[in-house]
mmCIF file of all heavy atoms in Angstrom:
data_model
loop_
_atom_site.group_PDB
_atom_site.id
_atom_site.type_symbol
_atom_site.label_atom_id
_atom_site.label_comp_id
_atom_site.label_asym_id
_atom_site.label_seq_id
_atom_site.Cartn_x
_atom_site.Cartn_y
_atom_site.Cartn_z
ATOM 1 N N ALA A 2 27.861 -11.173 -15.420
ATOM 2 C CA ALA A 2 26.573 -10.687 -14.927
ATOM 3 C C ALA A 2 26.419 -9.219 -15.178
ATOM 4 O O ALA A 2 27.362 -8.458 -15.168
ATOM 5 C CB ALA A 2 26.457 -10.984 -13.431
ATOM 6 N N ASP A 3 25.182 -8.804 -15.443
ATOM 7 C CA ASP A 3 24.902 -7.382 -15.563
ATOM 8 C C ASP A 3 25.207 -6.703 -14.251
ATOM 9 O O ASP A 3 25.052 -7.272 -13.183
ATOM 10 C CB ASP A 3 23.426 -7.158 -15.904
ATOM 11 C CG ASP A 3 23.100 -7.685 -17.278
ATOM 12 O OD1 ASP A 3 23.995 -7.687 -18.136
ATOM 13 O OD2 ASP A 3 21.951 -8.095 -17.469
ATOM 14 N N THR A 4 25.591 -5.451 -14.314
ATOM 15 C CA THR A 4 25.848 -4.711 -13.084
ATOM 16 C C THR A 4 24.550 -4.247 -12.486
ATOM 17 O O THR A 4 23.527 -4.178 -13.133
ATOM 18 C CB THR A 4 26.749 -3.480 -13.373
ATOM 19 O OG1 THR A 4 26.130 -2.710 -14.383
ATOM 20 C CG2 THR A 4 28.128 -3.902 -13.812
ATOM 21 N N ALA A 5 24.601 -3.893 -11.196
ATOM 22 C CA ALA A 5 23.387 -3.461 -10.497
ATOM 23 C C ALA A 5 22.893 -2.151 -11.052
ATOM 24 O O ALA A 5 23.663 -1.291 -11.450
ATOM 25 C CB ALA A 5 23.686 -3.321 -9.009
ATOM 26 N N ASP A 6 21.607 -1.995 -11.068
ATOM 27 C CA ASP A 6 20.966 -0.770 -11.556
ATOM 28 C C ASP A 6 21.076 0.317 -10.513
ATOM 29 O O ASP A 6 20.635 0.165 -9.396
ATOM 30 C CB ASP A 6 19.495 -1.078 -11.832
ATOM 31 C CG ASP A 6 18.753 0.133 -12.338
ATOM 32 O OD1 ASP A 6 19.425 1.090 -12.752
ATOM 33 O OD2 ASP A 6 17.506 0.087 -12.329
ATOM 34 N N THR A 7 21.697 1.421 -10.859
ATOM 35 C CA THR A 7 21.808 2.529 -9.905
ATOM 36 C C THR A 7 21.126 3.769 -10.428
ATOM 37 O O THR A 7 21.376 4.875 -9.973
ATOM 38 C CB THR A 7 23.295 2.849 -9.619
ATOM 39 O OG1 THR A 7 23.961 3.084 -10.853
ATOM 40 C CG2 THR A 7 23.974 1.690 -8.916
ATOM 41 N N GLY A 15 24.708 2.265 -4.087
ATOM 42 C CA GLY A 15 25.956 1.551 -3.961
ATOM 43 C C GLY A 15 26.863 1.804 -5.125
ATOM 44 O O GLY A 15 26.743 2.749 -5.891
ATOM 45 N N SER A 16 27.815 0.934 -5.267
ATOM 46 C CA SER A 16 28.861 1.132 -6.245
ATOM 47 C C SER A 16 28.515 0.636 -7.616
ATOM 48 O O SER A 16 29.252 0.856 -8.557
ATOM 49 C CB SER A 16 30.125 0.397 -5.757
ATOM 50 O OG SER A 16 29.858 -0.972 -5.624
ATOM 51 N N GLY A 17 27.390 -0.072 -7.742
ATOM 52 C CA GLY A 17 27.009 -0.602 -9.045
ATOM 53 C C GLY A 17 27.730 -1.870 -9.398
ATOM 54 O O GLY A 17 27.797 -2.251 -10.547
ATOM 55 N N THR A 18 28.306 -2.535 -8.402
ATOM 56 C CA THR A 18 28.968 -3.793 -8.658
ATOM 57 C C THR A 18 27.972 -4.913 -8.707
ATOM 58 O O THR A 18 26.801 -4.738 -8.439
ATOM 59 C CB THR A 18 30.001 -4.070 -7.538
ATOM 60 O OG1 THR A 18 29.300 -4.097 -6.299
ATOM 61 C CG2 THR A 18 31.077 -3.021 -7.509
ATOM 62 N N SER A 19 28.447 -6.103 -9.017
ATOM 63 C CA SER A 19 27.546 -7.248 -9.101
ATOM 64 C C SER A 19 26.868 -7.474 -7.777
ATOM 65 O O SER A 19 27.448 -7.247 -6.727
ATOM 66 C CB SER A 19 28.327 -8.504 -9.508
ATOM 67 O OG SER A 19 28.911 -8.323 -10.772
ATOM 68 N N PRO A 20 25.636 -7.917 -7.776
ATOM 69 C CA PRO A 20 24.888 -8.058 -6.554
ATOM 70 C C PRO A 20 25.443 -9.133 -5.649
ATOM 71 O O PRO A 20 26.048 -10.091 -6.073
ATOM 72 C CB PRO A 20 23.478 -8.428 -7.029
ATOM 73 C CG PRO A 20 23.682 -9.017 -8.370
ATOM 74 C CD PRO A 20 24.861 -8.336 -8.948
ATOM 75 N N ALA A 21 25.152 -8.958 -4.369
ATOM 76 C CA ALA A 21 25.592 -9.938 -3.395
ATOM 77 C C ALA A 21 24.812 -11.222 -3.568
ATOM 78 O O ALA A 21 23.727 -11.262 -4.097
ATOM 79 C CB ALA A 21 25.393 -9.392 -1.984
ATOM 80 N N PRO A 46 21.965 -10.924 -12.193
ATOM 81 C CA PRO A 46 20.862 -9.956 -12.305
ATOM 82 C C PRO A 46 19.965 -10.208 -13.505
ATOM 83 O O PRO A 46 20.434 -10.513 -14.595
ATOM 84 C CB PRO A 46 21.589 -8.614 -12.459
ATOM 85 C CG PRO A 46 22.965 -8.851 -11.952
ATOM 86 C CD PRO A 46 23.275 -10.280 -12.248
ATOM 87 N N ALA A 432 27.117 -4.017 1.712
ATOM 88 C CA ALA A 432 27.618 -2.663 1.429
ATOM 89 C C ALA A 432 27.124 -2.110 0.099
ATOM 90 O O ALA A 432 26.775 -0.930 -0.010
ATOM 91 C CB ALA A 432 29.145 -2.667 1.467
ATOM 92 N N GLN A 433 27.080 -2.969 -0.950
ATOM 93 C CA GLN A 433 26.714 -2.449 -2.266
ATOM 94 C C GLN A 433 25.239 -2.110 -2.392
ATOM 95 O O GLN A 433 24.825 -1.487 -3.366
ATOM 96 C CB GLN A 433 27.113 -3.440 -3.376
ATOM 97 C CG GLN A 433 26.424 -4.794 -3.316
ATOM 98 C CD GLN A 433 27.264 -5.800 -2.565
ATOM 99 O OE1 GLN A 433 27.712 -5.546 -1.447
ATOM 100 N NE2 GLN A 433 27.497 -6.957 -3.180
ATOM 101 N N TRP A 434 24.430 -2.502 -1.392
ATOM 102 C CA TRP A 434 23.002 -2.212 -1.461
ATOM 103 C C TRP A 434 22.546 -1.241 -0.376
ATOM 104 O O TRP A 434 21.351 -1.057 -0.179
ATOM 105 C CB TRP A 434 22.188 -3.509 -1.362
ATOM 106 C CG TRP A 434 22.488 -4.457 -2.478
ATOM 107 C CD1 TRP A 434 23.050 -5.681 -2.387
ATOM 108 C CD2 TRP A 434 22.258 -4.236 -3.875
ATOM 109 N NE1 TRP A 434 23.191 -6.258 -3.628
ATOM 110 C CE2 TRP A 434 22.703 -5.382 -4.563
ATOM 111 C CE3 TRP A 434 21.718 -3.178 -4.616
ATOM 112 C CZ2 TRP A 434 22.632 -5.509 -5.944
ATOM 113 C CZ3 TRP A 434 21.642 -3.304 -5.994
ATOM 114 C CH2 TRP A 434 22.090 -4.454 -6.641
#
Side-chain angles (χ1 to χ4, degrees):
D3 294 330
T4 55
D6 180 16
T7 54
S16 60
T18 59
S19 299
Q433 62 266 51
W434 299 116

